[in-house]
Amino acid sequence: MYKNYVFDVYGTLVDIHTNEYELATWQKLAKTLAFYDVNYTAEELKEAYFMSCDLQMKQGEKKFRHPEVDVVEVFRHIFENKNKKASKVLATHLAQEFRAFSTERLTLYNGVTETLGKLKRAKKKLFILSNAQRCFTRPELVKLGLAKYFAGVVYSSDYGCAKPDPALFNVLADKYKLDKKETVYIGNDPLTDVNGAKNAKIDCLWIKTNLTDYDQLPKLSPKYEINNGDFTQIAQLLLKK
């Protein structure tokens, strides 16, 4: 019987749509930066952002097969390009403004809170392991009423590596002293979630949602599948195990 239930966030618990390529997003952000005497056109700012992301990824490849960026550091770099300095607090604030400007949809899937509550009442320990930015996801979990359900969270941005890298799964297991045999991972992505969990030797439930890439198939087979996106089936299926 599983004692530990580990969830992905976006595409699994949360239905989201962001548009980081929309010019209006960068126009709004450029106006914000101008208050700090950091002056970019919208096009320049967009280019600087993605160039900084690419640089972090290349640096991260020296250590991890699947590196991750930290957007707080990206915004500090955007200031440095203009010979300015941004504190971590300021860079975090600006990253969160960028998130707000670029987010078009952010909502829970049906049945999420019902299922999490049922698992908690069954004395299961719930965790999050997600390819996510701490500065984005932490407040979004609070806003959506999810934070109270989880005993621990691991964000990829904190460790410089991302799923499907087994190293990130091992971070969670080591940090919270989880027995992998008593743990199940639940996610919607065939590559980062299914292949990642299986390579880390953790059982996986693959829930297919509107954000699942149906053109991709996992190289490794999940132990469980929910093909219709019905989140309530998670408790029905796994509490029997």
Side-chain angles (χ1 to χ4, degrees), residues 4-5 29 37 48 60 62 68 72 75 83 93 95 112 133 137 143 153 159 161 168 180 196 211-212 225 227:
N4 311 305
Y5 287 65
L29 193 59
D37 197 26
K62 298 174 184 178
E68 175 66 288
V72 173
F75 276 90
N83 297 314
H93 169 71
V112 167
Q133 299 293 319
T137 306
K143 177 182 178 180
V153 181
Y159 297 93
C161 68
L168 194 64
K180 290 184 178 181
L211 295 182
T212 297
E225 287 188 39
N227 294 313

Side-chain angles (χ1 to χ4, degrees), residues 1-204:
M1 182 176 291
Y2 298 116
K3 295 181 179 179
N4 311 305
Y5 287 65
V6 185
F7 292 86
D8 171 51
V9 176
Y10 303 110
T12 301
L13 299 170
V14 176
D15 184 10
I16 189 171
H17 183 261
T18 62
N19 191 346
E20 292 85 1
Y21 297 94
E22 181 69 41
L23 188 60
T25 295
W26 300 102
Q27 289 171 335
K28 293 175 185 176
L29 193 59
K31 289 179 180 179
T32 299
L33 292 180
F35 282 101
Y36 301 94
D37 197 26
V38 175
N39 297 301
Y40 288 89
T41 66
E43 293 84 356
E44 289 171 343
L45 183 54
K46 179 180 176 181
E47 182 179 6
Y49 177 88
F50 286 110
M51 284 182 65
S52 182
C53 289
D54 288 344
L55 179 61
Q56 278 198 44
M57 291 293 284
K58 289 177 181 177
Q59 292 172 338
E61 286 171 356
K62 298 174 184 178
K63 187 174 181 181
F64 297 108
R65 186 174 178 182
H66 300 279
E68 175 66 288
V69 303
D70 181 346
V71 295
V72 173
E73 292 305 312
V74 168
F75 276 90
R76 295 180 81 168
H77 188 234
I78 284 170
F79 269 61
E80 290 170 1
N81 287 343
K82 298 294 184 177
N83 297 314
K84 303 287 184 179
K85 289 186 178 180
S87 67
K88 186 173 182 179
V89 170
L90 175 57
T92 298
H93 169 71
L94 293 170
Q96 290 170 338
E97 285 215 1
F98 167 63
R99 179 69 158 190
F101 293 154
S102 61
T103 300
E104 298 177 354
R105 183 177 73 250
L106 183 75
T107 186
L108 294 180
Y109 285 110
N110 290 335
V112 167
T113 54
E114 173 190 341
T115 299
L116 296 180
K118 186 175 291 187
L119 294 174
K120 289 282 284 185
R121 289 191 294 274
K123 307 300 182 184
K124 306 302 180 182
K125 290 186 177 180
L126 309 184
F127 301 88
I128 282 174
L129 174 68
S130 188
N131 286 354
Q133 299 293 319
R134 171 184 284 271
C135 67
F136 296 165
T137 306
R138 187 174 182 179
E140 288 173 354
L141 292 175
V142 173
K143 177 182 178 180
L144 294 168
L146 292 180
K148 62 185 178 183
Y149 292 102
F150 295 96
V153 181
V154 167
Y155 305 102
S156 59
S157 66
D158 288 350
Y159 297 93
C161 68
K163 299 176 299 179
D165 199 321
L168 194 64
F169 290 86
N170 291 335
V171 165
L172 179 85
D174 293 343
K175 182 175 181 178
Y176 297 107
K177 297 179 173 56
L178 305 185
D179 184 339
K180 290 184 178 181
K181 294 179 181 179
E182 297 176 342
T183 301
V184 61
Y185 188 81
I186 297 109
N188 75 295
D189 192 279
L191 305 184
T192 60
D193 294 330
V194 179
N195 288 345
K198 293 290 288 184
N199 280 325
K201 303 188 184 309
I202 296 174
D203 286 348
C204 181

